[in-house]
């Protein structure tokens, strides 16, 4: 990123190619090739057993998508899923970062504890939350019943109305540490004298937040939101393990539907079409991210 | 006047403390609930009044989880795959990152952006073709196949992390080594790698943790229990009619603790590593 390394060159570009060749080849073979082949296969028919190409399908699979009720649902859910989670994860993360940015005793311990949701592996988190949400003996029902918010046990992951919001809570819980730590890092590099200057000018807390804090974290916020949007849209583990897209596809999203279509129904080419739609959506966000990133220089 | 100010300050402090405490308690609760369930006996797991700290601590869930399934096999498989992926990523990424950080060549920015993009593409689309190709070249149901497929995320991630470290590393030492007649290869091994030991360690930890918890590829590419890894095994510990929460939480704990301990121990490096990408951009 620094200009010195940009201007500087060892000049032995042949040696550079030797250095990068293994990595680039590996990524090309295990990433670019399968991805390209995946996209291409959504335009072809294939023999189910040998996977030989068996004819040009054109847009047939995409036309089929237009009439696929589950795909419509997955598409809609994916949008809701991403927008709601990113919003809450950012806002709660910002609130937590603002609190942790204050000077108080025990801040270090709080910061360490904050990491826990992020470091618990997806599958362990999924299982634990499944237990928390359990209709029978689940701790969430117990807590809500004891404060009289609900009267009867709810099977949180088993009913259509609650499954998606319940999964969203788990995903937000898992993501809060990341947004908090990134925003906290951003808050800590804001020039303290700006606050003092604002204070001598008679600015109140809210004004300081609006005119000093927010502009100071704006750039990082946008980058973080783009990254979290991409990760959230692509989220697979939590949903697949906790509900498999059910009940009645109420938690179906594009990544899970892609996977199930391929590996439960063995419609590989149709699945590739679903995955390609997801790829196109996420590419728009990714390109925005890359363009921001490149402004800093490579 | 001073007293009012003082009172206001105290009230503010109380407000800050109580809100941050509530947030942190909610954030850590599931983890401690997992631990707590794992050391409870069956009657207490299903008691009408659940307690965070059990009346009687028992290790029977751990015993069950470990001896009544092939947990040991899954555990060892996970360790093998994670270590192998880490080593491959270390080897390949160090050179790739060094090449990207220190040299100018054609297609450099394309490669750099490709590496960033690889972390953003939806994996299910990728795994379809990887699976079909692996069936054809007989890499399904093999730990080596899993390691190769894990490079899809481990190599780009490690490379980007290391590259940004190399970017900040002063190059004068390498330059003077070159003047002294040190060959490029031995410059890397004698100067760059020793200087970057902390960064390389951090990157290795990340590669290990990412591989340790990877689920989708392991689920797809491993079809027999003999080669199954921990995340997949735990996701399948759900019984047909009844879920045995005790052993399940014990398994999840054994699966989670190595990661939590690593993180707490290397907290500084890992946190800066994880936030670096976003903050630097």
């Amino acid at each position: 990123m620094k200009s010195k390394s940009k201007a500087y060159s060892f000049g032995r570009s042949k040696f550079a190619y030797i250095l990068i060749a293994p990595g680039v080849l590996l990524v090309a073979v295990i990433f670019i090739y399968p991805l390209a082949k995946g996209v291409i296969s959504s335009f072809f028919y294939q023999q189910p057993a040998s996977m030989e190409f068996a004819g040009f399908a054109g847009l047939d699979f995409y036309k089929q998508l237009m009439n696929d009720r589950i795909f419509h649902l997955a598409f809609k859910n994916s949008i809701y899923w991403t927008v709601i989670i990113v919003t809450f994860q950012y806002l709660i993360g910002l609130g937590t970062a603002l609190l942790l940015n204050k000077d108080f005793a025990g801040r270090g311990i709080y910061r360490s504890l904050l990491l826990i949701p992020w470091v618990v592996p997806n599958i362990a988190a999924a299982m634990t939350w499944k237990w928390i949400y359990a209709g029978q003996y689940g701790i969430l029902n117990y807590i809500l019943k004891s404060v009289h918010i609900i009267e009867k046990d709810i099977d949180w992951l088993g009913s259509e109305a609650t499954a998606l919001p319940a999964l969203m809570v788990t995903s937000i819980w898992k993501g809060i540490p990341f947004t908090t730590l990134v925003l906290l890092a951003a808050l800590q590099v804001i020039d303290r004298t700006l606050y003092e200057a604002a204070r001598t000018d008679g600015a109140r807390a809210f004004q300081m937040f609006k005119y000093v804090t927010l502009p100071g974290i704006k750039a990082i916020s946008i980058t973080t939101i783009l990254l979290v949007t991409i990760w959230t849209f692509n989220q697979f583990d939590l949903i697949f393990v906790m509900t498999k897209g059910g009940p009645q596809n109420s938690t179906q999203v594009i990544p899970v539907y892609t996977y199930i279509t391929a590996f439960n129904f063995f419609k590989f080419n149709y699945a590739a079409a679903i995955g390609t739609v997801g790829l196109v959506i996420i590419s728009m966000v990714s390109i925005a991210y890359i363009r921001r990133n490149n402004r800093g220089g490579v | 006047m001073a007293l009012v100010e003082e009172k206001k300050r105290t009230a503010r402090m109380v407000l800050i403390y109580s809100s941050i405490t509530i947030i942190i308690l909610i954030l850590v609760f599931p983890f401690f609930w997992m631990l707590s369930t794992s050391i409870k006996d069956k009657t207490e797991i299903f008691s009408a009044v659940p307690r965070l700290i059990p009346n009687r601590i028992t290790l029977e869930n751990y015993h069950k989880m470990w001896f009544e399934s092939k947990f040991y096999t899954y555990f060892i498989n996970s360790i093998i795959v994670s270590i192998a992926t880490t080593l491959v990523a270390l080897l390949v990424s160090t050179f790739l990152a060094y090449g990207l950080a220190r040299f100018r060549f054609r297609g450099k920015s394309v490669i750099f952006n490709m590496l960033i993009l690889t972390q953003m593409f939806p994996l299910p689309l990728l795994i379809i073709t990887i699976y079909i190709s692996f069936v054809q070249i007989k890499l399904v149901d093999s730990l080596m196949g899993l390691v190769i497929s894990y490079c899809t995320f481990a190599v780009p991630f490690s490379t980007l992390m290391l590259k940004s470290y190399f970017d900040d590393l002063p190059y004068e030492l390498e330059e003077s080594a070159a003047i002294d007649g040190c060959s490029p290869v031995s410059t890397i091994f004698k100067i760059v790698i020793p200087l970057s030991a902390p960064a390389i360690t951090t990157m290795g930890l990340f590669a290990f943790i990412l591989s340790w918890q990877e689920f989708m590829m392991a689920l797809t590419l491993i079809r027999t229990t003999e080669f199954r890894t921990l995340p997949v095994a735990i996701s399948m510990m759900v019984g047909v009619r009844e879920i045995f929460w005790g052993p399940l939480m014990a398994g999840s704990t054994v699966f989670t603790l190595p990661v939590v301990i690593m993180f707490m121990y290397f907290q500084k490096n890992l946190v800066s590593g994880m936030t670096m990408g976003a903050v630097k951009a």
Side-chain angles (χ1 to χ4, degrees):
Chain A
M1 300 283 167
K2 300 285 174 291
S3 55
K4 65 169 185 197
S5 61
K6 198 176 176 185
Y8 174 72
S9 162
F10 279 4
R12 289 183 294 263
S13 58
K14 256 187 206 146
F15 181 59
Y17 287 120
I18 297 169
L19 280 177
I20 63 162
V24 170
L25 273 177
L26 189 64
V27 173
V29 171
I30 59 175
F31 206 101
I32 297 166
Y33 165 75
L35 196 73
K37 207 174 168 194
V39 173
I40 291 167
S41 72
S42 71
F43 298 101
F44 286 89
Y45 294 110
Q46 266 164 294
Q47 299 285 3
S50 63
M51 295 316 292
E52 293 281 319
F53 281 100
F56 185 58
L59 293 173
D60 284 3
F61 290 115
Y62 293 92
K63 283 179 195 151
Q64 210 177 318
L65 277 180
M66 295 291 196
N67 301 315
D68 182 344
R69 197 186 56 81
I70 302 173
F71 174 74
H72 285 245
L73 202 56
F75 190 91
K76 200 182 75 188
N77 283 343
S78 272
I79 303 295
Y80 279 145
W81 169 263
T82 310
V83 171
I84 293 174
I85 290 174
V86 172
T87 308
F88 279 95
Q89 196 175 309
Y90 178 77
L91 292 178
I92 300 173
L94 178 59
T96 314
L98 287 170
L99 287 169
L100 283 175
N101 196 34
K102 304 267 188 268
D103 277 314
F104 57 86
R107 192 169 76 154
I109 298 165
Y110 278 133
R111 252 188 72 149
S112 302
L113 289 173
L114 171 78
L115 279 174
I116 285 180
W118 192 75
V119 300
V120 172
N122 272 339
I123 303 308
M127 286 308 174
T128 307
W129 278 91
K130 222 174 155 159
W131 169 221
I132 291 173
Y133 285 140
Q136 280 180 307
Y137 304 107
I139 185 81
L140 182 64
N141 278 334
Y142 173 78
I143 295 171
L144 293 180
K145 273 194 298 189
S146 58
V147 294
H148 298 289
I149 290 178
I150 58 168
E151 298 302 323
K152 266 192 288 182
D153 280 342
I154 295 175
D155 185 2
W156 294 94
L157 295 175
S159 47
E160 281 177 62
T162 53
L164 191 62
L167 283 179
M168 284 175 175
V169 168
T170 303
S171 178
I172 293 167
W173 167 83
K174 190 104 183 55
I176 284 174
F178 178 78
T179 31
T180 304
L181 287 172
V182 172
L183 291 172
L184 186 60
L187 287 173
Q188 281 168 348
V189 294
I190 295 180
D191 191 353
R192 294 239 158 192
T193 56
L194 287 176
Y195 287 105
E196 277 149 35
R199 197 171 293 133
T200 44
D201 288 349
R204 275 176 297 180
F206 176 72
Q207 286 169 317
M208 280 202 269
F209 177 73
K210 192 175 163 193
Y211 295 110
V212 181
T213 311
L214 275 188
I217 57 170
K218 191 181 156 206
I220 289 171
S221 292
I222 295 173
T223 316
T224 310
I225 287 173
L226 289 174
L227 263 184
V228 174
T229 302
I230 294 163
W231 291 338
T232 308
F233 185 87
N234 286 336
Q235 176 58 259
F236 172 85
D237 295 2
L238 290 179
I239 305 172
F240 188 82
V241 172
M242 289 171 77
T243 63
K244 274 218 168 67
Q248 262 76 52
N249 292 303
S250 60
T251 58
Q252 196 60 270
V253 290
I254 290 178
V256 175
Y257 191 45
T258 307
Y259 190 89
I260 289 177
T261 307
F263 296 103
N264 290 29
F265 304 134
F266 301 104
K267 294 193 233 167
F268 289 115
N269 302 74
Y270 188 47
I274 302 168
T276 303
V277 173
L279 177 69
V280 170
I281 297 172
I282 216 58
S283 294
M284 292 188 267
V285 188
S286 304
I287 288 166
Y289 175 82
I290 298 264
R291 291 179 74 165
R292 277 186 71 78
N293 216 19
N294 284 359
R295 245 183 282 159
V298 176
Chain B
M1 189 65 194
L3 198 68
V4 176
E5 278 290 296
E6 187 65 21
K7 265 194 176 163
K8 254 179 135 179
R9 251 184 63 90
T10 321
R12 245 172 63 97
M13 248 8 243
V14 170
L15 192 71
I16 290 174
Y17 255 119
S18 45
S19 6
I20 193 70
T21 307
I22 291 168
I23 293 175
I24 296 293
L25 279 180
I26 294 174
L27 288 179
V28 300
F29 173 77
F31 174 71
F32 286 102
W33 192 236
M34 170 180 85
L35 289 183
S36 153
T37 307
S38 76
I39 49 170
K40 282 177 182 168
D41 62 22
K42 222 177 163 184
T43 49
E44 210 175 335
I45 288 173
F46 297 120
S47 94
V49 185
R51 292 165 53 106
L52 187 59
I53 295 158
N55 281 322
R56 200 173 69 86
I57 290 173
T58 162
L59 291 179
E60 69 182 49
N61 292 322
Y62 287 88
H63 191 269
K64 244 198 197 129
M65 168 275 289
W66 194 268
F67 292 104
E68 287 177 22
S69 73
K70 290 187 183 169
F71 204 90
Y72 174 76
T73 312
Y74 309 145
F75 191 84
I76 295 296
N77 286 342
S78 270
I79 289 196
I80 293 173
V81 170
S82 305
I83 290 179
T85 308
T86 306
L87 291 179
V88 175
L90 277 171
L91 198 70
V92 174
S93 304
T94 307
F95 294 121
L96 181 53
Y98 187 71
L100 285 171
R102 285 290 191 264
F103 296 92
R104 280 215 242 172
F105 51 87
R106 238 189 240 212
K108 179 169 150 170
S109 66
V110 175
I111 293 173
F112 181 73
N113 286 334
M114 255 343 272
L115 289 173
I116 298 179
L117 277 176
T118 54
Q119 301 181 303
M120 303 182 168
F121 285 145
L123 279 179
L125 178 60
L126 190 71
I127 195 74
I128 296 173
T129 350
I130 292 186
Y131 174 74
I132 293 169
S133 314
F134 274 24
V135 169
Q136 286 162 347
I137 56 176
K138 306 225 164 8
L139 268 177
V140 170
D141 260 332
S142 112
L143 293 182
M144 196 174 89
L146 210 52
V147 171
I148 293 170
S149 69
Y150 280 7
C151 288
T152 50
F153 57 82
V155 168
F157 182 86
S158 314
T159 306
L160 292 172
M161 254 187 82
L162 267 187
K163 178 194 174 287
S164 75
Y165 180 82
F166 289 152
D167 279 340
D168 290 341
L169 197 70
Y171 54 80
E172 281 80 7
L173 269 175
E174 296 151 53
E175 213 171 27
S176 52
I179 293 165
D180 289 348
C182 199
S183 79
V185 180
S186 60
T187 306
I188 293 178
F189 280 103
K190 285 191 183 141
I191 294 171
V192 180
I193 291 178
L195 273 178
S196 325
I200 294 177
T201 314
T202 308
M203 190 211 85
L205 284 170
F206 262 110
F208 184 90
I209 292 170
L210 286 175
S211 326
W212 178 257
Q213 46 180 284
E214 200 288 328
F215 172 71
M216 191 200 301
M217 291 187 180
L219 176 75
T220 316
L221 300 175
I222 302 296
R223 297 271 145 181
T224 56
T225 54
E226 193 187 339
F227 299 113
R228 189 171 286 165
T229 52
L230 269 187
V232 177
I234 286 170
S235 81
M236 290 177 174
M237 271 173 83
V238 181
V240 182
R241 306 212 55 172
E242 188 189 355
I243 300 176
F244 299 101
W245 293 112
L248 181 55
M249 291 297 110
S252 302
T253 304
V254 172
F255 174 49
T256 304
L257 277 185
V259 185
V260 172
I261 291 168
M262 265 188 207
F263 252 95
M264 293 300 159
Y265 192 74
F266 294 100
Q267 194 178 331
K268 268 218 173 95
N269 310 14
L270 291 173
V271 168
S272 64
M274 124 194 189
T275 53
M276 188 172 52
V279 177
K280 266 211 151 178

